[in-house]
């Protein structure tokens, strides 16, 4: 059974940082591109980033480029998202997902999510 379990969300002030983690199981993680997706209340999902299976190539949405960094540790089956300079508009539920190029992956590819709230 494919499982993706996110952690690391929380509440921060504008300008703050968080690191999200995603533990993967049930599939060959080291052969799988991975993405991060977020969904704010009342809005549709937004693709944020993609990292290739080797971890040596990354892509980002313009909204997070320069602030967020995706990386992975294949030996540990872990995916990460370092988020810096967080702003209120970054408030959302964040999901890791099996990759689907630079598109929003199908919902069943996602984990259960972790909440990020940015407010003064």
């Amino acid at each position: 059974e494919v499982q993706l379990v996110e952690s690391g969300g929380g509440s921060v002030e504008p300008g703050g940082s968080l690191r999200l983690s995603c533990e993967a199981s049930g599939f060959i993680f080291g052969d799988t591109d991975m993405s991060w997706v977020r969904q704010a209340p009342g809005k549709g999902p937004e693709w944020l980033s993609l990292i290739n299976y080797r971890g040596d190539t990354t892509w980002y949405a313009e909204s997070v480029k320069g602030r967020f960094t995706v990386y992975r540790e294949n030996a540990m089956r872990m995916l990460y998202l370092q988020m810096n300079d967080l702003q209120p508009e970054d408030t959302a539920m964040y999901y890791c997902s099996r990759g689907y190029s630079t598109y929003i992956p199908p919902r069943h590819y996602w984990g259960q999510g972790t909440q990020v709230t940015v407010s003064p």
Side-chain angles (χ1 to χ4, degrees):
E1 178 188 3
V2 172
Q3 282 200 321
L4 297 169
V5 179
E6 300 92 336
S7 61
S11 295
V12 295
E13 296 182 348
S17 298
L18 284 173
R19 187 184 76 161
L20 306 184
S21 300
C22 173
E23 183 173 4
S25 61
F27 64 101
I28 304 175
F29 182 73
D31 286 349
T32 305
D33 298 344
M34 296 294 293
S35 279
W36 286 95
V37 177
R38 69 185 178 189
Q39 187 161 18
K43 296 187 176 181
E46 178 186 11
W47 170 81
L48 299 178
S49 67
L50 174 73
I51 185 167
N52 74 338
Y53 65 97
R54 289 189 302 268
D56 59 7
T57 306
T58 56
W59 296 261
Y60 296 94
E62 286 298 321
S63 59
V64 303
K65 192 176 292 184
R67 299 188 300 125
F68 290 12
T69 302
V70 59
Y71 60 102
R72 63 193 295 164
E73 293 183 352
N74 283 350
M76 300 299 292
R77 306 177 63 84
M78 294 294 295
L79 177 73
Y80 302 97
L81 186 68
Q82 176 66 43
M83 305 187 296
N84 298 328
D85 191 25
L86 285 160
Q87 300 300 318
E89 54 266 33
D90 294 315
T91 295
M93 187 72 82
Y94 284 70
Y95 303 89
C96 71
S97 170
R98 286 177 286 162
Y100 199 70
S101 188
T102 56
Y103 304 105
I104 298 169
R107 182 60 183 87
H108 65 277
Y109 279 29
W110 307 5
Q112 90 290 347
T114 186
Q115 177 68 38
V116 172
T117 302
V118 185
S119 62

